[in-house]
Amino acid sequence: MTIITKNRMHTEEEKRLEENKTTTKDWLKWGSYLSERQWGTVREDYSANGNAWEYFPHEHARSRAYRWGEDGIAGLSDNFGNICFGLALWNGKDAILKERLFGLTGPQGNHGEDVKELYYYLENTPTHSYMKHLYKYPQNEFPYAALVQKNKERNRNETEYELLDTGIFNQNAYFDVFTEYAKADNEDILIKITVCNRASSPASLHLLPSLCIRNIWSYKDKVKKPLIKAEKKDEQTYVSITHHYVGNYNLYFEEADKLLFTENETNMEVIYSQPNNHPYKKDLFHKAVTSNDYSLATKRSEGTKFAPLYHLQLKGNEQRVIKLRLTKNQEKTPFDSSFEATFTAREKECIEFYKTITDCKEEESTIQRQAFAGLLWSKNYYNYEVETWLNGDSKLSLPPIERQHGRNSEWKTLRNHDILSMPDAWEYPWYAAWDSAFHCTSFALIDPEFAKKQLLLFTKEWYMAPNGQIPAYEWNFSDVNPPVQAWAALNIYKIERKKTGRGDIKFLKRIFNKLALNFTWWVNRLDSHQNNVFQGGFLGLDNIGVFDRSHGIPGNGILEQVDGTSWMALYCLNMLEISLEIAMDDDSYEDMATKYFGHFVFIAETLNTRCLGDVCTWDAQEDFFYDQLVLPTGQFIPIKVRSIAGMLSLAAVLCIKKETLDRLPKFKESVLWFKKYRMENLKFPVIQNYTEDNDFLLSLVPKNRMKKLMETLLDEKEFLSPYGIRSLSKIHETPYNIVINGVNYSINYEPAESTTAMFGGNSNWRGPIWFPMNYLFIEAIREYYSYTGDNTTFEYPSGSGKHLSLKEISDALSKRLINIFEKDKQGNRPVNALHQKTYQDAHFKDYILFYEYFHGDNGRGIGASHQTGWTALVTNLISGIK
């Protein structure tokens, strides 16, 4: 494949991105920012016990006004989530109007929370100038109860009962509902909804393109209540929107059967068994449609929630198109010939834009575009101000006192009010710090400016804690995610430089100065013995250990984690590399490069020599790094689990080119000093084979150990799967057991869903393939190659007798990961292993889901089904850009 670089004409989408940076024209004011799930989130939970799933269940969502956001299907909103647009549907048989996506709560699912709908992100551009979404809606009664009951009946060793398993799509008895948006201008958004009856027999559908105003007035004093009001001018019926914060807009729509109005307010009678002050509540449309009684919903011509109702009678295989337009303008003919012309132009521009990313074959282009679409559709408005949440709102009853000492209570300075990249807009509708770093690495390919701003957000004083800690994720901001922000900053910088020929040094300076605070927090907090070996805790890998690493370490011991130490070594190298890059422009940063260089040397020396008696972190008999449980007595107990936690030491590697050293004489002098003097006092030759006239390799593990780890990594009997690197060695098909204080702890290779309840049981690091870790290993192998070139080869796979260079190995690993989504000769994609027959169908075969993780043996998609966040790294692999 060929990487498209700077020497070309700019596309229309790139011109819009540039215009957004250099003028007052805000192309990003409107986008696919509406969350897919607001109910069941921590920020909407005002209970005493912190049980978010029970406090605000799906059953309440249609009747209770949200406090911190909105949700919907195929939604659009402004960048502060005030004016929201989405779909509502009714097939005439369901008990409820479908206004939001349904799924299981954490306790309901046999593997945790899980959306139980079929929908696909098909297109999206960085300015959201063109967006396309597909929702598949059954024509028969949606199996809500069966999905809950069947999954409750299944144990953790069984697969999840999915919507496709119910047979609801048999005989094509469903509607394909395509929602498309095209921007005629930055505040002039054309909307087209295409409903296709996929069955051969007639079917009817109630379609309600719904507009609502986020409710602030019920919670805050002195807030001017917005208004949606019916208008008629020049024989054109439309609604006007008056909003003090966002401005005034008009929504035009084709002639509808009915116009429905209500208020986006809680139905107190339904939720709290208290009398309502008026009957116009959030759930009025649901009541009107399902009971066929529109007398109340059509009585008024204004409110804060509105929908034109279209009762569509579709023949077999027929489709209908409904057009709308949300605009600042007054339009006499909102749906004239320019409407379709704009859609045609924006779709063409979308295709042209993505052709600038990579010149690759059609199948890879399909994967890449849908992955980018998912990444962009997962940009959502996120609002959570912890102090306000803890104290409650003056117009409502105050939260229970327990909240003041409960979840996130120590994060009173945290105030989030931004467009953020979600891991999954339904299953993880909140940011996670290390997820976002990987997201930004993929965003850099299409919108480096957004990637930089997104990463910088986590270092702002209203995100980062005063002590330098970066918030982890909504369920526990104090948890510890791997420190990959510096790694992501470097990737963004390099990708933008390769694309444009310009490196943003100012960005590196901004992120470096803030991350220095975070680095200090890590050192002070997680190196309790001051010996450069780090405990870390959770570190994002959920259930990878034999026991929960977040708390409750057996015997009141301390777990010295290889991955904790490796993450810190990688952090050192990232900060060192950033220092060097900035020092090329500002030599005052050479001192910082020396600081991180020295810190890395000491970490590497400690990891490789850490022993107590004959127990060492590096097991010389088994050629692997193992975590050490250190008991209060001083006893070391090795935890001999062969996982990517022990393999992560490979990722901490940096090749410093001779030209860089020559341009930075102070840093070069420090390196030579370390080599000549300091190494005499170190117990392990971390710096070796370096001479002044060569490149300089810093690696957490020395050459001989690196070779042993690589042989293990590339062994198909251990880590190498046909679809990437497994998170746990396959040798643990025979379970590993260890007894500590009379209690047996065990772990075994589980290539699919989690069989434990640890961390909710919704993810599994005991065997499956995870894109972010695979990407780190591939990047590290390429970095080794930049130093050794073709001089170093390995058997690939180990024991095969076939030797490849490190570059060839990195490409081969990339191909295995890409193959998860590619069609084989029979037209099957491994990701769809459980539903191959369905995905052979003409109306399914070109749609791809990007799951959270993948089966360690067959590549099947597992976990969150739309986690295009970090799984979007497949786009980087296809592009071949580091």
Side-chain angles (χ1 to χ4, degrees):
M1 66 196 68
T2 303
I3 305 305
I4 309 297
T5 54
K6 59 178 179 174
N7 298 316
R8 56 176 175 76
M9 296 293 289
H10 280 216
T11 64
E12 291 301 314
E13 178 63 13
E14 287 172 304
K15 291 176 184 176
R16 280 187 285 269
L17 284 168
E18 191 62 30
E19 187 177 19
N20 203 71
K21 288 194 298 182
T22 57
T23 72
T24 57
K25 198 167 196 176
D26 187 359
W27 282 100
L28 294 173
K29 182 173 182 177
W30 292 89
S32 45
Y33 305 144
L34 185 62
S35 178
E36 287 168 0
R37 177 168 65 84
Q38 188 73 12
W39 62 273
T41 59
V42 167
R43 57 198 182 278
E44 297 291 344
D45 174 20
Y46 281 73
S47 67
N49 60 7
N51 192 329
W53 291 117
E54 289 185 5
Y55 179 78
F56 205 141
H58 177 266
E59 186 68 17
H60 285 190
R62 63 176 173 269
S63 301
R64 188 195 294 188
Y66 298 125
R67 169 62 178 86
W68 296 99
E70 288 294 336
D71 59 16
I73 300 172
L76 175 91
S77 82
D78 64 277
N79 56 356
F80 289 105
N82 286 303
I83 301 175
C84 305
F85 175 89
L87 299 186
L89 306 155
W90 191 58
N91 57 17
K93 300 173 183 176
D94 287 350
I96 65 173
L97 176 68
K98 186 171 285 294
E99 298 177 273
R100 56 191 51 82
L101 299 171
F102 170 74
L104 304 184
T105 67
Q108 288 174 334
N110 63 327
H111 297 293
E113 64 265 38
D114 186 24
V115 69
K116 297 298 183 185
E117 304 272 12
L118 275 183
Y119 57 104
Y120 305 87
Y121 308 121
L122 302 183
E123 299 285 3
N124 209 327
T125 59
T127 64
H128 310 292
S129 58
Y130 179 69
M131 304 185 288
K132 187 174 184 179
H133 180 286
L134 168 60
Y135 175 67
K136 290 179 177 285
Y137 184 44
Q139 293 172 2
N140 294 311
E141 185 178 359
F142 196 92
Y144 292 106
L147 287 165
V148 173
Q149 187 59 37
K150 288 283 188 181
N151 280 287
K152 278 188 172 182
E153 291 170 358
R154 294 191 176 190
N155 62 45
R156 294 190 183 278
N157 292 302
E158 296 177 279
T159 58
E160 296 161 1
Y161 186 65
E162 303 289 4
L163 189 59
L164 280 172
D165 298 325
T166 67
I168 196 75
F169 292 96
N170 292 352
Q171 288 80 50
N172 289 336
Y174 68 92
F175 301 101
D176 269 345
V177 184
F178 294 92
T179 305
E180 295 174 86
Y181 300 93
K183 291 184 179 179
D185 207 341
N186 64 313
E187 296 191 89
D188 186 5
I189 302 143
L190 315 183
I191 306 168
K192 185 164 61 173
I193 303 167
T194 304
V195 180
C196 307
N197 178 10
R198 294 304 183 197
S200 57
S201 55
S204 67
L205 175 71
H206 290 71
L207 172 67
L208 292 80
S210 300
L211 187 70
C212 84
I213 308 295
R214 182 161 71 104
N215 188 333
I216 298 175
W217 59 91
S218 293
Y219 306 98
K220 295 183 179 181
D221 291 316
K222 300 178 181 178
V223 171
K224 187 174 181 180
K225 187 176 178 179
L227 183 68
I228 304 171
K229 184 178 180 181
E231 310 278 2
K232 190 165 186 177
K233 187 175 182 180
D234 299 325
E235 301 303 313
Q236 175 70 50
T237 300
Y238 63 100
V239 294
S240 62
I241 308 160
T242 305
H243 200 293
H244 179 68
Y245 295 145
V246 190
N248 299 331
Y249 291 84
N250 300 309
L251 178 70
Y252 295 91
F253 45 89
E254 293 186 304
E255 185 176 355
D257 295 295
K258 292 179 175 62
L259 302 186
L260 312 182
F261 287 89
T262 191
E263 300 293 342
N264 185 21
E265 297 177 2
T266 297
N267 188 326
M268 301 296 287
E269 184 177 340
V270 169
I271 300 299
Y272 301 112
S273 300
Q274 297 177 7
N276 287 315
N277 55 351
H278 61 74
Y280 296 96
K281 298 299 179 181
K282 181 179 178 180
D283 55 10
L284 180 57
F285 296 173
H286 154 75
K287 293 179 178 178
V289 172
T290 57
S291 67
N292 195 30
D293 181 0
Y294 297 95
S295 56
L296 190 59
T298 57
K299 189 174 182 180
R300 298 173 66 188
S301 59
E302 62 181 44
T304 49
K305 183 177 178 181
F306 162 76
L309 169 67
Y310 301 90
H311 188 187
L312 307 178
Q313 302 285 348
L314 299 173
K315 299 175 183 177
N317 301 308
E318 184 185 4
Q319 71 176 40
R320 284 278 305 277
V321 177
I322 303 298
K323 299 176 182 178
L324 304 97
R325 186 168 191 163
L326 179 63
T327 179
K328 290 281 285 187
N329 308 325
Q330 289 282 342
E331 299 286 346
K332 289 185 178 181
T333 54
F335 309 116
D336 60 14
S337 60
S338 67
F339 186 92
E340 282 298 334
T342 299
F343 266 99
T344 301
R346 295 296 176 266
E347 185 174 13
K348 181 181 177 183
E349 290 161 8
C350 174
I351 294 169
E352 289 174 346
F353 172 73
Y354 284 114
K355 282 182 178 178
T356 69
I357 307 301
T358 321
D359 180 15
C360 57
K361 63 183 183 181
E362 184 177 352
E363 178 70 5
E364 288 182 337
S365 178
T366 298
I367 296 167
Q368 197 172 49
R369 279 186 39 204
Q370 288 191 45
F372 280 132
L375 191 65
L376 288 159
W377 273 96
S378 298
K379 283 169 59 177
N380 292 164
Y381 170 72
Y382 183 88
N383 185 202
Y384 186 18
E385 300 170 19
V386 172
E387 188 168 27
T388 299
W389 176 76
L390 289 170
N391 294 333
D393 301 289
S394 58
K395 293 183 73 173
L396 296 176
S397 58
L398 297 179
I401 192 65
E402 291 90 339
R403 292 169 58 82
Q404 294 294 333
H405 306 285
R407 175 181 287 132
N408 296 330
S409 57
E410 67 274 28
W411 284 84
K412 293 182 176 65
T413 60
L414 188 138
R415 293 176 289 110
N416 302 153
H417 194 47
D418 299 286
I419 299 300
L420 288 160
S421 179
M422 305 297 160
D424 179 299
W426 194 95
E427 297 199 28
Y428 299 98
W430 28 260
Y431 64 85
W434 80 305
D435 294 60
S436 295
F438 291 109
H439 302 181
C440 290
T441 302
S442 295
F443 268 116
L445 291 171
I446 55 174
D447 190 356
E449 196 66 22
F450 176 80
K452 289 183 286 187
K453 289 180 178 178
Q454 187 81 168
L455 201 60
L456 283 166
L457 266 181
F458 289 88
T459 69
K460 299 292 187 184
E461 58 272 21
W462 52 90
Y463 277 71
M464 182 183 279
N467 64 5
Q469 185 178 11
I470 289 175
Y473 51 92
E474 185 179 276
W475 287 84
N476 185 359
F477 285 128
S478 293
D479 228 333
V480 184
N481 276 180
V484 288
Q485 286 73 28
W487 174 88
L490 279 166
N491 274 270
I492 294 167
Y493 174 83
K494 291 175 183 178
I495 290 170
E496 183 178 34
R497 183 176 61 187
K498 189 162 189 174
K499 283 171 64 68
T500 68
R502 301 184 307 274
D504 190 345
I505 292 293
K506 185 177 179 180
F507 160 68
L508 284 185
K509 283 187 174 182
R510 292 177 67 193
I511 197 81
F512 178 86
N513 292 335
K514 288 297 188 70
L515 288 180
L517 301 175
N518 179 245
F519 185 90
T520 302
W521 174 84
W522 267 84
V523 171
N524 291 338
R525 174 74 180 270
L526 299 170
D527 180 13
S528 60
H529 288 162
Q530 301 296 306
N531 58 11
N532 293 304
V533 176
F534 296 85
Q535 290 81 54
F538 169 43
L539 286 176
L541 306 185
D542 288 21
N543 61 4
I544 201 167
V546 292
F547 38 76
D548 187 341
R549 305 194 306 175
S550 283
H551 58 274
I553 303 301
N556 295 316
I558 293 171
L559 187 67
E560 293 188 346
Q561 297 171 215
V562 176
D563 56 332
T565 304
S566 299
W567 285 123
M568 282 304 291
L570 178 61
Y571 201 173
C572 278
L573 290 184
N574 297 150
M575 295 295 276
L576 165 58
E577 189 175 1
I578 293 174
S579 303
L580 293 174
E581 198 65 41
I582 299 172
M584 299 287 201
D585 181 72
D586 181 350
D587 62 8
S588 66
Y589 277 76
E590 282 190 76
D591 291 341
M592 296 305 295
T594 300
K595 166 188 162 50
Y596 288 108
F597 165 66
H599 203 135
F600 171 80
V601 169
F602 290 121
I603 291 175
E605 189 267 344
T606 302
L607 178 69
N608 284 282
T609 61
R610 178 79 166 143
C611 295
L612 183 66
D614 59 353
V615 178
C616 299
T617 304
W618 173 260
D619 190 307
Q621 281 70 49
E622 300 185 16
D623 293 322
F624 206 80
F625 284 112
Y626 292 122
D627 290 350
Q628 303 289 337
L629 177 61
V630 185
L631 297 178
T633 61
Q635 180 186 2
F636 269 30
I637 300 177
I639 310 297
K640 294 194 173 185
V641 176
R642 296 172 77 85
S643 73
I644 52 172
M647 196 64 73
L648 187 62
S649 55
L650 281 173
V653 58
L654 173 63
C655 175
I656 303 174
K657 294 298 181 180
K658 175 183 180 298
E659 305 83 67
T660 300
L661 290 167
D662 289 343
R663 288 182 59 184
L664 301 173
K666 290 182 181 178
F667 177 70
K668 183 176 182 180
E669 183 180 346
S670 297
V671 171
L672 291 170
W673 182 87
F674 255 87
K675 181 172 185 282
K676 185 175 180 181
Y677 296 104
R678 185 58 196 161
M679 290 307 298
E680 295 175 3
N681 297 313
L682 293 175
K683 304 170 189 174
F684 195 83
V686 177
I687 304 174
Q688 49 190 330
N689 301 328
Y690 169 62
T691 61
E692 290 189 51
D693 296 324
N694 287 302
D695 296 344
F696 177 35
L697 184 72
L698 284 172
S699 171
L700 183 57
V701 290
K703 186 176 181 180
N704 62 326
R705 293 183 179 180
M706 178 266 191
K707 287 184 175 181
K708 293 294 186 182
L709 290 173
M710 281 291 293
E711 289 168 5
T712 302
L713 188 77
L714 303 179
D715 189 342
E716 291 181 316
K717 298 188 295 295
E718 290 218 42
F719 287 95
L720 183 61
S721 158
Y723 301 99
I725 301 299
R726 302 179 176 102
S727 49
L728 187 73
S729 171
K730 202 171 182 181
I731 68 164
H732 290 306
E733 285 179 318
T734 300
Y736 169 79
N737 292 275
I738 185 169
V739 177
I740 303 171
N741 289 348
V743 178
N744 183 68
Y745 298 90
S746 68
I747 190 172
N748 63 289
Y749 174 68
E750 301 170 9
E753 292 87 351
S754 175
T755 62
T756 76
M758 200 180 295
F759 291 96
N762 60 351
S763 66
N764 180 25
W765 290 83
R766 297 181 171 188
I769 295 153
W770 293 77
F771 262 73
M773 300 304 292
N774 272 258
Y775 193 78
L776 282 173
F777 288 129
I778 290 169
E779 288 281 275
I781 292 169
R782 288 175 177 166
E783 191 69 15
Y784 280 113
Y785 177 77
S786 72
Y787 179 75
T788 68
D790 293 328
N791 295 325
T792 300
T793 63
F794 286 90
E795 280 187 302
Y796 182 86
S798 296
S800 66
K802 181 181 178 182
H803 283 77
L804 298 180
S805 72
L806 291 169
K807 174 65 168 64
E808 290 170 326
I809 289 170
S810 71
D811 290 344
L813 288 174
S814 296
K815 185 60 181 172
R816 290 192 182 212
L817 289 155
I818 295 167
N819 282 346
I820 290 172
F821 306 105
E822 285 194 321
K823 290 179 183 176
D824 60 21
K825 293 178 181 178
Q826 290 73 44
N828 295 318
R829 304 180 197 272
V831 64
N832 299 324
L834 289 182
H835 301 103
Q836 288 184 353
K837 184 178 178 181
T838 298
Y839 280 93
Q840 290 276 356
D841 182 88
H843 300 301
F844 278 85
K845 65 184 180 69
D846 293 326
Y847 304 136
I848 305 172
L849 294 176
F850 297 86
Y851 286 80
E852 184 179 4
Y853 55 106
F854 302 87
H855 195 292
D857 296 330
N858 64 32
R860 167 172 70 85
I862 309 173
S865 56
H866 294 74
Q867 194 150 347
T868 325
W870 61 21
T871 302
L873 288 166
V874 70
T875 63
N876 299 71
L877 296 177
I878 291 172
S879 294
I881 296 177
K882 291 179 68 175

